[in-house]
Amino acid sequence: MKIDLTFIWTAFLQILPAIPTTLVITLVSVLAGFVIGLLAALARIYKVPVLGQAASAYVTFIRGTPMLTHLLLIYFGLPVLLDALSAQFGWGFKSASIPMIGFAFISFSITAGAYMSEVIRSGLLAVDRGQLEAAYSVGMTTPQALRRIIFPQALSVSIPNLSNSVIGMLHGSTLAFTVSVVDINAKAQIVASTNWKFFEAYIAAALIFWGLTLLIERLTAVIEKRMNLYNRGGIV
Amino acid sequence: MIKLKNIHKSFGRQQVLKGIDLTVQKGEVVVILGPSGSGKTTLLRCVNYLEKPGDGEILIGDYHLNCRHAGKKEIHALRQKSAMVFQQYNLFRHKTAVENVMEGLLVVKKLSKEEAYRRSAELLEKVGLGSRLDAYPSQLSGGQQQRVGIARALALEPEVILFDEPTSALDPELVGEVLEVIRRIAAEGITMIVVTHEIGFARDVANHIVFMDGGVIVEEGSPAEVLSRPKEERTRQFLKRITPEPNYSI
């Protein structure tokens, strides 16, 4: 077998335009997942009736099933549901108008939410109870204490794990090709299929993913350093 | 004035406080003594509702709370009347010394940043930390952290400051600096309730001593009465155990 090195470069250049798609999917699913995860974590920590149990069920179901399955369930299930509701209430909405990438956004956000809720929950539980008591003792309300005292500390503990989640979602976003979204990986396949140099095209894709991941790692290192300023002199 | 009436508290089946009545006059320093498990820390924590009493009434200044009808709002209002100094300091770990003191002023008292900073820096100066304003708790010794804790409590200008064994977690050589600060602010007429094992401190600083055991107040009175001429056998036993022998030698 011969490797066509120049084609790796050609493929590399042709794949570059697909980077924004991958990044947008990653960004949307991570941000929405963070919000979902935060709410789920709070519902479980505060043992909110109904919501707490629902959050637990959500986390165990989503973590117990593959990300590709979530995407397919949403892709085939959501249109049926929406069309039925639309017919029922006369919204005049057709599921065919949902762009393909929309399914990826929704399903990956749901996936990310479940994984991130565990990360956030462990971060929140890592903050000493005394911090909350001190916040109460200076007269703060629970939301004030959470926002100003607990969340910042929980976040700084969670950064390494959150960065893991982001990288996981970046790589997981390749599954979007199953619903015809052209991300980095799908673009590599398209580029290769014109001349059957799949290996070279996937090498190019791998390099791009690696580069993006390195970028995320660098970025987290900077954030982590800034957020953990207060731990100087500690064990960390 | 602070008045506690018939405070009850149970953890599950175990009754920790069995109907405590206590009155603290304005400007008074009350020291609560007692063996571990006597309920003294729990009582202190009930005053600002870090523990929720099962029954009883709490009066701080002009605020009255019946523990049977205490909702979120009432508890929040009660907490603004007091401040607490913790055994484990519990400084906000992600904030510097001066930010720790400012926090309550900004969020609860709604002062401007400049005003909050000015007052916080002043208070830290007063507890001898004028040069460590920008240090994080992890960069401070235990004694220094506790003095920041005291400044944080003072900043709120509460009706009463609650001290929960403020020197128990400190190295012996750091106890002195913290007690000295407490002594100084006591002299300024700030109302305090102090749970401690420092008998010497109690004798010097307290106006009123309360001895608790088994969830009840066994004996109370002036330091001279309780420490030098205890009426109850239980008090005598306790004092004998924790008072160091004179002329100790190894």
Side-chain angles (χ1 to χ4, degrees):
Chain A
M1 193 181 125
K2 273 181 74 177
I3 295 180
D4 183 348
L5 288 176
T6 49
F7 185 69
I8 295 180
W9 178 243
T10 317
F12 187 87
L13 293 178
Q14 289 187 33
I15 294 170
L16 286 181
I19 291 179
T21 310
T22 291
L23 288 183
V24 165
I25 296 176
T26 310
L27 202 68
V28 168
S29 57
V30 164
L31 291 181
F34 187 81
V35 175
I36 298 173
L38 181 61
L39 296 176
L42 286 176
R44 292 179 73 187
I45 287 175
Y46 281 95
K47 300 195 171 70
V48 182
V50 187
L51 284 182
Q53 287 90 325
S56 293
Y58 158 70
V59 171
T60 139
F61 177 74
I62 296 298
R63 295 209 310 163
T65 44
M67 190 167 165
L68 179 58
T69 313
H70 308 153
L71 181 60
L72 295 173
L73 284 174
I74 291 289
Y75 182 67
F76 291 110
L78 194 64
V80 179
L81 182 73
L82 285 179
D83 284 338
L85 285 172
S86 172
Q88 182 80 29
F89 298 104
W91 293 339
F93 170 84
K94 283 252 175 348
S95 64
S97 65
I98 304 175
M100 287 303 174
I101 202 168
F103 294 105
F105 287 162
I106 295 171
S107 98
F108 294 167
S109 298
I110 292 171
T111 312
Y115 286 96
M116 290 175 106
S117 95
E118 284 298 88
V119 172
I120 294 168
R121 198 167 67 97
S122 74
L124 289 171
L125 293 177
V127 180
D128 180 36
R129 169 137 194 103
Q131 296 287 312
L132 185 64
E133 292 189 347
Y136 284 150
S137 81
V138 302
M140 288 193 209
T141 61
T142 306
Q144 283 170 338
L146 286 178
R147 204 174 58 240
R148 297 191 56 103
I149 307 300
I150 307 298
F151 287 166
Q153 293 186 40
L155 197 62
S156 77
V157 184
S158 309
I159 291 287
N161 286 327
L162 285 175
S163 131
N164 244 340
S165 298
V166 174
I167 294 170
M169 291 316 292
L170 172 75
H171 299 167
S173 72
T174 48
L175 293 173
F177 86 91
T178 46
V179 295
S180 326
V181 175
V182 181
D183 74 316
I184 293 172
N185 221 38
K187 187 73 185 175
Q189 196 176 1
I190 294 167
V191 170
S193 57
T194 55
N195 56 8
W196 295 88
K197 290 186 174 163
F198 285 100
F199 186 48
E200 287 83 352
Y202 284 130
I203 287 177
L207 289 175
I208 291 176
F209 273 118
W210 190 18
L212 291 176
T213 307
L214 283 177
L215 217 63
I216 296 174
E217 283 173 349
R218 279 290 153 80
L219 205 65
T220 2
V222 172
I223 297 175
E224 199 180 337
K225 206 169 170 192
R226 284 195 59 167
M227 291 203 73
N228 277 315
L229 216 57
Y230 66 84
N231 270 330
R232 274 180 316 194
I235 326 161
V236 191
Chain B
M1 189 173 76
I2 294 116
K3 226 178 179 135
L4 307 178
K5 267 196 225 160
N6 196 29
I7 300 289
H8 281 80
K9 171 75 190 173
S10 303
F11 291 116
R13 282 235 186 110
Q14 196 194 353
Q15 234 192 334
V16 186
L17 298 177
K18 302 169 182 167
I20 303 280
D21 293 293
L22 182 67
T23 304
V24 180
Q25 299 297 338
K26 198 171 166 55
E28 212 175 26
V29 177
V30 172
V31 169
I32 305 179
L33 300 173
S36 56
S38 60
K40 53 194 194 308
T41 289
T42 307
L43 177 67
L44 197 73
R45 288 165 60 87
C46 279
V47 177
N48 69 350
Y49 249 79
L50 289 180
E51 300 293 350
K52 190 177 176 344
D55 194 13
E57 289 172 53
I58 300 172
L59 183 113
I60 304 183
D62 53 3
Y63 194 79
H64 176 261
L65 182 105
N66 187 326
C67 301
R68 290 200 177 175
H69 318 288
K72 261 188 197 157
K73 258 196 192 142
E74 288 76 19
I75 293 170
H76 184 231
L78 180 81
R79 281 185 179 143
Q80 300 200 9
K81 297 284 175 188
S82 64
M84 190 150 194
V85 174
F86 295 87
Q87 185 176 358
Q88 301 294 344
Y89 333 128
N90 291 354
L91 296 186
F92 303 130
R93 288 176 39 109
H94 61 310
K95 293 190 177 287
T96 60
V98 71
E99 284 169 350
N100 261 277
V101 183
M102 286 168 70
E103 189 66 10
L105 297 176
L106 292 173
V107 181
V108 182
K109 303 266 173 186
K110 311 280 183 211
L111 292 191
S112 72
K113 241 187 178 151
E114 295 72 35
E115 178 65 10
Y117 184 89
R118 201 182 53 72
R119 274 172 61 178
S120 302
E122 227 167 69
L123 282 165
L124 284 172
E125 184 73 46
K126 191 165 148 182
V127 297
L129 290 172
S131 60
R132 304 304 311 269
L133 296 189
D134 296 320
Y136 284 99
S138 61
Q139 298 167 313
L140 297 172
S141 73
Q144 291 173 328
Q145 289 191 52
Q146 194 57 298
R147 284 186 278 151
V148 176
I150 293 169
R152 179 172 71 181
L154 277 173
L156 302 163
E157 299 180 337
E159 297 272 342
V160 57
I161 300 184
L162 312 167
F163 291 84
D164 180 15
E165 304 198 23
T167 58
S168 297
L170 292 173
D171 286 347
E173 50 183 333
L174 300 178
V175 170
E177 65 183 53
V178 172
L179 289 183
E180 186 46 44
V181 168
I182 301 177
R183 202 186 303 260
R184 229 165 47 215
I185 58 176
E188 290 175 19
I190 289 169
T191 316
M192 303 181 184
I193 305 179
V194 187
V195 170
T196 184
H197 292 293
E198 298 286 334
I199 294 288
F201 170 80
R203 196 188 299 274
D204 290 355
V205 181
N207 307 109
H208 192 83
I209 291 200
V210 174
F211 176 69
M212 282 181 69
D213 191 21
V216 295
I217 292 178
V218 176
E219 186 168 356
E220 59 179 310
S222 70
E225 283 166 6
V226 178
L227 296 179
S228 309
R229 300 183 299 279
K231 288 194 211 71
E232 301 292 328
E233 181 53 32
R234 186 69 192 89
T235 318
R236 237 169 278 155
Q237 278 173 5
F238 174 77
L239 289 173
K240 205 169 162 194
R241 243 186 318 116
I242 69 164
T243 316
E245 297 277 328
N247 305 322
Y248 200 79
S249 63
I250 296 173

